[in-house]
């Protein structure tokens, strides 16, 4: 469903990706692991058009985003493609990024009503059912500031799901949470995965990655150092950097 | 500091009191050490003269060729008086509106500046015998044949000056739309610009400004004769006596007539100055044709103040609305526009923040007619204030918008929202909340700045106050009431803003 080919990306003069390739099939669950600064966020953000890149191509079901230095690059087309891709792919951020001036319900209904043009009543019905799914139906009228971190992240997931995406990108969804709240968020992600949602998740929760993913990639300094099934990566990593990294997490 | 040494405290209090007394003594010696001002003038060799050169020609004004030099027929009179006293003149520039008040405070020895002798002013100061017979003159556009005498002014728009007999005459006519100005040039400007139908001012002014202007014409006989006198403090009978002798002398010698002829203000009415004995009787018994009634009771001045307050509120609200909308457009141009829009917005903001509001108002009202745009005073006031404050509001918005974390935009983008939608639904509502406290401050500041629009012939609260106060010499009570009116209007606003802020905060 998502195909990244020959991706080159640099932040200013600082090169990050040097010809990165990655393919995600429909229904697959890819866990992106690696140390801080290895490029996990940048990779996810490139897919969703929040970052431009220099070379290469990202294709989502045939919708192609090109690097700005590619011949096929065209600003107008790119803007159009980005919109189509964002309609198919939802994203959840480390910092939740809920809209603080709106109630939980309005956070969820905002995009469906304003972007998809769904009626408010219908959007609210969908929002309520999504809130039930993340076990927060009683918080519909609360403001984000009145929720705990874990609750906010679950609302953020519901908000992304309200756009009926075909795939979800999670950028370290539990990294800003207190330990006791991590589980409730991961459970929601697990539910999603079990429904067959195509998922790409950057995470430091190795246990979760091992249990839930279908593929794991280990990123370091913008390079995919190792990739494979979770079983292979977690129980028998080939690369010594992967080994070192995992040994710090799995004790 | 809770247990401040008691003795220490007392010593400190005593020394502060001593310093206060010393300072009071120091300032008071200057004014009150001499029993008699005449004595002081003679022994110091200096006569201090209070006037307002802003009033304009031909009384006292800055020589256009040598702007540092004051000229005018009253300058000549004061010089003649000083010569007779054997002293030098020291000038004291003072707002005309408060000239008698400053005289009473002891800022200068005499006030001589087209001050009409009225029974009501005589209650607070002492006048010499008259040195000039004034009358009010109607001026119209040369092309206008509707107006021939005072009665023709009914139902017309007529310009005049603040706190003048002419203004009261017009007001007593009942149905004249009176525009009042603080400078002498502006009413004639507005007359040529068709903003008003006629001007009624003291004859010397009409003579000086209208006679040489081919577009304007004086019509009818002068009306409402009265007298200018020199004002001294009430107790200065010796000084007044001396001044009377000097006036008599320069009148008899023909020097006064020469001065008036030189300035083109001599007319046969001035002959009446010779009848001084009878005249002095006459004007104290029955004041000049127009009676000046002092508004001292609340019922008389409150309606005027309230009317002024209404104008202030109207101007403030309308110009703030303009500032809010225009400021938002400027901020968006600067943050999201292309290079050119950014430059336009930046230039606008820098210009309006870097120049005084007063100049901006003058340009709008008196400058634009030169390129064919003639705005009414009300529109010019709202545009002037609104466009000025828009520059400040735009910077407040910009700060507010930039304070919104990038994550908000990214989350909205990931939900497929368009840039415009994000701005309208996500960024601006949050920026607005940040902007509310500084915006309220600005609105209260604008509220007070609205008093500046009196320079373009708008009579709002501050101007109503200064007019009433100057007429009644009651600066204190009227001042308190006016201040209370301002406060009564701005305080609910602060409360409302605070409440709104709290409400908006509830979701933080
Ligand atoms: N906006 C940016 N400007 C400059 N450098 C950036 C920017 N965003 C990320 N980087 C750099 O890119 C590298 C990868 O960052 P990131 O994708 O956030 O890594 P991760 O999510 O794995 O911690 C880091 O070295 C980081 O400093
Ligand atoms: Mg990251």
């Amino acid at each position: 469903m998502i195909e990244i080919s020959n991706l080159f990306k640099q932040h200013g003069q600082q090169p990050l990706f040097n010809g990165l390739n990655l393919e995600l099939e429909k229904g697959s669950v890819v866990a992106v692991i690696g140390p801080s600064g290895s490029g996990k966020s940048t990779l996810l953000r490139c897919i969703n058009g929040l970052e431009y890149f220099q070379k290469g191509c990202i294709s989502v079901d045939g919708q192609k985003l090109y690097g700005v230095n590619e011949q096929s690059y065209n600003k107008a087309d790119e803007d159009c493609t980005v919109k189509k891709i964002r309609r198919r792919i939802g994203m959840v951020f480390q910092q939740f990024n809920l809209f603080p001036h709106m109630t939980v319900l309005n956070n969820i209904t905002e995009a469906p009503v304003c972007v998809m043009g769904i009626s408010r009543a219908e959007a609210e019905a969908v929002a309520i059912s999504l809130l039930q799914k993340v076990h927060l139906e009683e918080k519909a009228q609360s403001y984000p500031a009145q929720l705990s971190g874990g609750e906010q992240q679950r609302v953020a997931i519901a908000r992304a799901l309200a756009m009926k995406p075909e795939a979800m990108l999670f950028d370290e969804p539990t990294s800003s949470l207190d330990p006791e709240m991590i589980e409730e968020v991961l459970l929601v992600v697990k539910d999603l995965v079990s429904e067959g949602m195509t998922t790409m998740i950057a995470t430091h929760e190795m246990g979760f990655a091992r249990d839930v993913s279908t593929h794991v990639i280990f990123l370091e300094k913008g390079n995919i150092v190792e990739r494979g099934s979770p079983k292979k990566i977690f129980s028998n990593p080939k690369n010594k950097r992967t080994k070192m990294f995992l040994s710090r997490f799995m004790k | 500091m809770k247990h401040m040494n008691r003795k220490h405290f007392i010593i400190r209090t005593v020394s502060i009191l001593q310093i206060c007394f010393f300072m009071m003594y120091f300032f008071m010696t200057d004014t009150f050490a001499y029993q008699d001002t005449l004595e002081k003038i003679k022994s110091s060799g200096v006569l201090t003269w209070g006037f307002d050169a802003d009033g304009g020609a031909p009384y006292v004004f800055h020589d256009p060729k040598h702007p540092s030099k004051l000229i005018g027929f009253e300058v000549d009179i004061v010089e003649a008086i000083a010569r007779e006293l054997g002293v030098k003149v020291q000038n004291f520039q003072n707002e005309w509106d408060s000239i008698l008040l400053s005289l009473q405070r002891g800022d200068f020895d005499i006030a001589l500046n087209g001050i009409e002798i009225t029974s009501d002013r005589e209650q607070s100061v002492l006048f010499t015998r008259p040195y000039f017979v004034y009358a009010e003159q109607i001026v119209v556009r040369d092309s206008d044949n509707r107006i021939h005498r005072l009665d023709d002014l009914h139902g017309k728009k007529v310009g005049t000056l603040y706190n003048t007999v002419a203004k009261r005459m017009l007001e007593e006519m009942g149905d004249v739309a009176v525009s009042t100005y603080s400078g002498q040039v502006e009413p004639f400007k507005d007359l040529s610009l068709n903003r008003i139908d006629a001007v009624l001012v003291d004859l010397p002014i009409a003579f000086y400004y209208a006679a040489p202007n081919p577009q304007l014409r004086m019509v009818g006989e002068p009306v409402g004769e009265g007298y200018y006198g020199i004002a001294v403090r009430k107790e200065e009978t010796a000084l007044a006596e001396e001044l009377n002798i000097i006036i008599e002398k320069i009148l008899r010698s023909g020097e006064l007539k020469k001065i008036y002829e030189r300035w083109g203000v001599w007319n046969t009415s001035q002959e009446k100055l010779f009848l001084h004995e009878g005249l002095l009787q006459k004007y104290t018994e029955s004041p000049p044709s127009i009676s000046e009634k002092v508004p001292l009771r609340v019922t008389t001045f409150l309606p005027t103040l309230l009317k002024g307050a209404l104008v202030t509120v109207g101007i403030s609200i309308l110009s703030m609305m303009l500032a809010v909308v225009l400021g938002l457009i400027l901020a968006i141009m600067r943050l999201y526009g292309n290079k050119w829009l950014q430059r336009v917005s930046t230039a606008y903001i820098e210009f309006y923040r870097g120049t005084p509001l007063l100049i901006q108002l003058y340009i709008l009202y008196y400058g634009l007619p030169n390129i064919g745009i003639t705005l009414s005073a009300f529109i010019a006031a709202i545009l002037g204030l609104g466009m000025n404050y828009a520059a400040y509001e735009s910077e407040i918005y910009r700060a507010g918008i930039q304070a919104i974390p990038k994550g908000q935009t990214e989350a909205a983008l990931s939900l497929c929202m368009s840039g415009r939608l994000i701005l309208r639904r996500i960024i601006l509502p949050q920026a607005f909340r940040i902007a509310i406290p500084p915006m309220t401050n600005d609105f209260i500041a604008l509220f007070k700045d609205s008093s500046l629009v009196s320079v373009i012939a708008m009579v709002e609260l501050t101007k109503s106050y200064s007019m009433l106060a100057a007429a009644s010499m009651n600066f204190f009570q009227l001042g308190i009431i006016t201040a209370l009116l301002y406060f009564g209007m701005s305080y609910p606003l602060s409360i409302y803003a605070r409440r709104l802020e709290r409400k908006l905060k509830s979701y933080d």
Side-chain angles (χ1 to χ4, degrees):
Chain A
M1 180 192 181
I2 301 174
E3 195 180 332
I4 300 169
S5 51
N6 199 29
L7 181 71
F8 281 78
K9 162 77 188 171
Q10 56 190 54
H11 288 295
Q13 292 304 310
Q14 190 71 31
L16 184 62
F17 301 135
N18 298 296
L20 183 143
N21 290 291
L22 183 69
E23 206 171 323
L24 247 86
E25 275 163 26
K26 205 164 180 59
S28 63
V29 178
V30 175
V32 184
I33 60 171
S36 264
S38 59
K40 302 185 294 296
S41 298
T42 307
L43 183 58
L44 295 177
R45 290 159 58 83
C46 281
I47 296 172
N48 214 17
L50 293 176
E51 299 266 4
Y52 62 88
F53 44 93
Q54 276 71 31
K55 274 167 71 181
C57 173
I58 296 177
S59 159
V60 177
D61 277 343
Q63 299 293 337
K64 287 191 166 69
L65 284 179
Y66 292 100
V68 289
N69 294 340
E70 293 285 343
Q71 296 233 314
S72 323
Y73 180 81
N74 172 313
K75 180 92 174 67
D77 290 350
E78 195 92 350
D79 287 347
C80 186
T81 312
V82 159
K83 284 222 164 103
K84 287 182 188 152
I85 291 179
R86 284 176 185 157
R87 280 293 289 269
R88 292 164 179 243
I89 301 182
M91 182 148 181
V92 171
F93 301 85
Q94 186 177 337
Q95 300 298 338
F96 329 136
N97 295 344
L98 292 181
F99 307 132
H101 58 300
M102 295 180 185
T103 60
V104 163
L105 192 70
N106 288 341
N107 260 278
I108 299 172
T109 57
E110 179 67 18
V113 171
C114 292
V115 177
M116 300 204 291
I118 288 172
S119 78
R120 178 153 289 280
E122 195 182 332
E124 281 181 4
V126 172
I128 297 287
S129 73
L130 285 169
L131 280 174
Q132 280 163 356
K133 189 167 174 164
V134 299
H135 317 294
L136 283 171
E137 59 272 28
E138 76 283 1
K139 299 285 188 190
Q141 296 306 327
S142 305
Y143 282 95
Q146 298 163 332
L147 305 183
S148 72
E151 290 169 333
Q152 287 192 52
Q153 193 61 297
R154 284 185 279 152
V155 173
I157 294 171
R159 180 175 70 174
L161 291 177
M163 295 294 282
K164 304 201 162 50
E166 292 163 31
M168 287 287 287
L169 307 174
F170 292 90
D171 186 4
E172 300 194 32
T174 58
S175 292
S176 330
L177 297 179
D178 293 337
E180 70 270 20
M181 295 173 185
I182 292 176
E183 204 52 39
E184 65 191 46
V185 173
L186 292 181
L187 274 174
V188 169
V189 180
K190 241 178 220 166
D191 282 349
L192 265 182
V193 166
S194 67
E195 287 165 19
M197 176 69 79
T198 311
T199 302
M200 193 160 164
I201 178 167
T203 185
H204 290 296
E205 298 300 318
M206 296 306 155
F208 175 80
R210 185 184 51 203
D211 298 346
V212 172
S213 66
T214 56
H215 295 79
V216 177
I217 62 175
F218 175 66
L219 262 184
E220 199 198 49
K221 290 185 185 150
N223 298 312
I224 300 181
V225 174
E226 193 162 356
R227 62 176 97 195
S229 68
K231 201 169 154 200
K232 191 179 126 204
I233 300 270
F234 286 105
S235 45
N236 187 19
K238 293 264 166 15
N239 190 294
K240 81 169 187 285
R241 293 184 193 281
T242 319
K243 271 183 201 157
M244 263 167 61
F245 176 77
L246 289 176
S247 69
R248 256 183 291 139
F249 278 91
M250 321 277 278
K251 293 221 173 91
Chain B
M1 291 302 282
K2 208 170 178 182
H3 302 285
M4 190 169 168
N5 185 317
R6 202 186 154 90
K7 206 166 119 196
H8 203 88
F9 179 77
I10 290 171
I11 289 171
R12 203 179 274 182
T13 316
V14 167
S15 57
I16 286 171
L17 276 176
Q18 274 172 344
I19 290 170
C20 288
F21 278 127
F22 183 79
M23 280 168 60
M24 277 166 73
Y25 179 75
F26 182 80
F27 286 118
M28 283 163 69
T29 44
D30 206 34
T31 336
F32 296 114
Y34 294 94
Q35 289 293 314
D36 185 294
T37 303
L38 182 60
E39 237 171 75
K40 190 207 78 175
I41 292 168
K42 285 193 165 156
S43 64
S44 66
V46 176
L47 170 71
T48 314
W49 167 41
F51 60 89
D52 185 1
D54 271 359
Y59 300 80
V60 191
F61 60 108
H62 291 278
D63 186 348
K65 291 188 201 103
H66 309 280
S68 62
K69 206 175 147 223
L70 285 173
I71 54 172
F73 74 82
E74 290 182 332
V75 176
D76 295 348
I77 294 174
V78 171
E79 266 162 14
I81 291 171
R83 189 195 61 226
E84 292 300 320
L85 285 168
V87 297
K88 281 203 193 112
V89 180
Q90 189 178 0
N91 293 335
F92 193 102
Q93 161 69 39
N94 196 98
E95 277 287 314
W96 199 87
D97 284 349
S98 57
I99 202 159
L100 293 186
L101 207 70
S102 300
L103 174 71
Q104 286 178 315
R105 277 174 11 128
D107 288 344
F108 37 80
D109 307 322
I110 61 167
L112 187 164
N113 195 196
I115 303 168
E116 299 103 343
I117 302 176
T118 59
S119 55
D120 131 67
R121 287 193 178 123
E122 282 189 312
Q123 287 171 4
S124 49
V125 296
L126 183 62
F127 278 105
T128 62
R129 57 172 292 163
Y131 65 88
F132 188 82
V133 181
Y134 71 83
E136 306 302 334
Q137 176 65 51
I138 304 169
V139 179
V140 295
R141 277 184 299 279
D142 193 38
S143 54
D144 191 341
N145 285 318
R146 294 172 298 167
I147 298 163
H148 306 285
R149 64 187 76 78
L150 195 63
D151 277 345
D152 295 338
L153 295 180
H154 283 289
K156 300 285 192 304
K157 277 181 93 170
V158 184
T160 188
L161 299 172
Y162 285 120
N163 292 317
T164 56
V165 172
K167 177 167 179 271
R168 289 212 179 76
M169 285 170 66
L170 291 170
E171 282 172 356
E172 282 177 16
M173 287 172 70
D175 58 349
V176 179
V178 187
S179 292
T180 28
Y181 299 82
S182 46
Q184 302 188 354
V185 189
E186 289 82 357
F188 295 107
K189 267 212 160 118
D190 277 2
L191 180 61
S192 343
L193 291 168
N194 283 325
R195 280 177 177 146
I196 51 180
D197 302 312
V199 170
L200 184 73
V201 286
D202 288 7
L203 185 59
I205 304 171
F207 212 90
Y208 192 86
Y209 288 101
N213 186 340
Q215 284 183 294
L216 305 179
R217 183 160 51 91
M218 305 199 292
V219 292
E221 286 294 307
V223 289
E225 244 171 41
Y227 310 97
Y228 293 151
I230 308 172
V232 299
R233 282 182 287 281
K234 199 124 195 196
E235 63 280 8
E236 306 294 352
T237 42
L239 177 59
E241 206 48 53
E242 184 86 11
L243 291 172
N244 279 337
I245 293 167
I246 293 171
I247 293 170
E248 169 95 26
K249 190 177 163 194
I250 58 174
L251 182 66
R252 300 270 168 213
S253 72
E255 184 178 1
L256 198 57
K257 183 175 175 182
K258 266 193 206 128
I259 291 174
Y260 291 154
E261 279 173 344
R262 187 150 18 120
W263 290 99
V265 294
W266 174 266
N267 52 18
T268 48
S269 298
Q270 305 302 333
E271 306 279 357
K272 291 180 187 167
L273 291 172
F274 289 100
L275 311 167
H276 73 283
E277 288 299 343
L279 196 67
L280 277 170
Q281 280 298 310
K282 201 184 123 207
Y283 74 68
T284 42
E285 274 167 16
S286 61
S289 54
I290 293 306
S291 62
E292 295 193 28
K293 217 52 244 123
V294 200
L296 259 181
R297 275 169 303 142
V298 176
T299 46
T300 31
F301 62 67
L302 207 54
T304 311
L305 284 183
L306 287 177
K307 219 171 113 195
L310 205 66
V311 175
T312 290
V313 169
I315 288 178
S316 304
I317 290 177
L318 289 173
S319 45
M320 192 65 190
M321 278 162 61
L322 174 64
V324 162
V325 174
L326 186 58
L328 184 59
I329 293 170
L330 286 167
I332 289 172
M333 273 167 69
R334 189 158 179 185
L335 282 172
Y336 305 106
N338 62 27
K339 196 174 66 184
W340 287 106
L341 289 178
Q342 281 177 15
R343 276 186 199 167
V344 168
S345 168
T346 310
Y348 179 101
I349 292 165
E350 295 306 328
F351 173 79
Y352 273 93
R353 293 200 310 178
T355 55
L357 177 55
L358 202 59
I359 307 291
Q360 294 162 15
L361 286 168
Y362 271 125
I363 292 176
L364 269 177
Y365 193 62
Y366 294 114
L368 284 188
N370 291 330
I371 55 166
I373 304 167
T374 306
L375 304 169
S376 75
F378 190 67
I379 299 292
I382 287 163
L383 280 182
L385 281 169
M387 287 167 70
N388 182 272
Y389 270 83
Y392 294 94
E393 297 326 294
S394 79
E395 289 296 276
I396 290 174
Y397 288 132
R398 197 161 70 98
I401 289 171
Q402 285 177 332
I404 310 300
K406 256 180 72 189
Q408 290 289 305
T409 306
E410 291 179 347
L413 280 174
S414 78
L415 290 168
C416 217
M417 291 172 74
S418 67
R420 214 173 283 183
L421 199 58
I422 294 172
L423 189 65
R424 187 162 60 81
R425 302 282 306 176
I426 309 299
I427 305 293
L428 289 184
Q430 294 184 62
F432 178 66
R433 179 177 48 141
I434 297 170
I436 277 185
M439 268 166 73
T440 320
N441 282 341
D442 266 13
F443 186 52
I444 293 170
L446 181 148
F447 198 60
K448 289 180 288 180
D449 270 359
S450 67
S451 62
L452 279 176
V453 303
S454 58
V455 299
I456 55 171
M458 285 301 301
V459 182
E460 38 62 68
L461 184 50
T462 299
K463 197 68 215 180
S464 307
Y465 159 69
S466 68
M467 281 158 59
L468 283 174
S472 65
M473 299 297 281
N474 186 349
F475 282 78
F476 184 66
Q477 279 164 304
L478 281 172
I480 301 266
I481 290 167
T482 308
L484 281 176
L485 278 175
Y486 269 112
F487 184 73
M489 294 186 283
S490 64
Y491 188 61
L493 187 71
S494 329
I495 291 185
Y496 171 74
R498 226 173 297 154
R499 215 174 274 167
L500 192 60
E501 204 183 327
R502 214 177 307 141
K503 194 183 140 204
L504 292 167
K505 258 215 173 93
S506 64
Y507 55 72
D508 267 347

